[in-house]
Amino acid sequence: MQQDGLGRALNPAESKSVQRGDLIFWNGHVAIVRDADTVVHANAHHMAAKIENTRDAIARIKAAGSEIVAIKRLS
């Protein structure tokens, strides 16, 4: 529901330079971009809300079987 109801989808060029507040969606999961290198998200891997390197989080979630389905900007 969050993915469908929030913001606008970024095009591929915009997706390469996410900004603070952008949302990265996977199936059943969302992360909030904190800055150029980190996201904040609650996850079962850490069993907590964590600040995590964006590339590391994407790679770990991909290895668990989920690709990014959308990146959205709220403003």
Side-chain angles (χ1 to χ4, degrees), residues 16-75:
K16 294 177 193 241
S17 59
V18 293
Q19 299 176 2
R20 182 178 181 90
D22 287 349
L23 303 173
I24 302 174
F25 291 92
W26 295 266
N27 286 328
H29 188 74
V30 62
I32 303 168
V33 175
R34 182 172 175 257
D35 56 35
D37 299 315
T38 60
V39 293
V40 178
H41 63 124
N43 65 78
H45 180 75
H46 295 105
M47 294 304 291
K50 296 289 281 184
I51 295 171
E52 188 174 1
N53 176 277
T54 305
R55 287 189 182 124
D56 292 348
I58 290 169
R60 185 176 44 73
I61 293 167
K62 181 177 182 173
S66 186
E67 298 282 343
I68 292 173
V69 295
I71 301 176
K72 299 190 86 177
R73 185 158 293 155
L74 297 178
S75 55

